[in-house]
Amino acid sequence: QVQLVESGGGLVQAGGSVRLSCAASGLIFGSYAMGWYRQAPGKQRELVATISTDFRTNYADSVKGRFTISRDNAKNTVNLQMNSLKPEDTAVYYCNAVLWSYNYWGQGTQVTVSS
């Protein structure tokens, strides 16, 4: 059974930093493209950042230069370092794993940025 478990969310002041982690199990982690998505209240889920199996990264324009995605295939984890946080970054952040038609999601972790 595939499981993606996010951790690291919480309440932070604007300008602060948070590091999210996602621990994956039940899959061949190195074969999956990994990503972080977020969903704010009343809005659709949107892409934040992705990292491919060969470590190529992609970011939403709104987070470029502030967020960094990384993966550790030895530990089956993907991380999202979020710096210079803004109130508009407030959302539930979801971990995602994709391989062909296989698409898995974590349960999400709340990040709240206060102004």
Side-chain angles (χ1 to χ4, degrees), residues 21-62:
S21 292
C22 172
S25 60
L27 50 70
I28 303 174
F29 183 78
S31 297
Y32 281 75
M34 300 300 297
W36 286 96
Y37 290 72
R38 67 187 180 186
Q39 187 166 16
K43 295 187 176 182
Q44 289 188 331
R45 191 173 297 189
E46 63 177 5
L47 179 147
V48 175
T50 61
I51 185 165
S52 68
T53 55
D54 58 354
F55 296 88
R56 286 175 291 122
T57 58
N58 178 57
Y59 296 93
D61 287 343
S62 59

Side-chain angles (χ1 to χ4, degrees), residues 56-105:
R56 286 175 291 122
T57 58
N58 178 57
Y59 296 93
D61 287 343
S62 59
V63 308
K64 281 181 181 177
R66 300 189 297 123
F67 291 10
T68 302
I69 189 171
S70 61
R71 66 187 296 162
D72 186 336
N73 288 348
K75 296 181 178 179
N76 286 9
T77 57
V78 58
N79 302 306
L80 186 68
Q81 178 67 42
M82 305 189 293
N83 299 328
S84 302
L85 283 162
K86 304 175 181 180
E88 51 263 43
D89 294 318
T90 294
V92 178
Y93 283 73
Y94 297 91
C95 179
N96 175 252
V98 174
L99 172 62
W100 300 326
S101 62
Y102 299 98
N103 192 353
Y104 301 105
W105 294 92

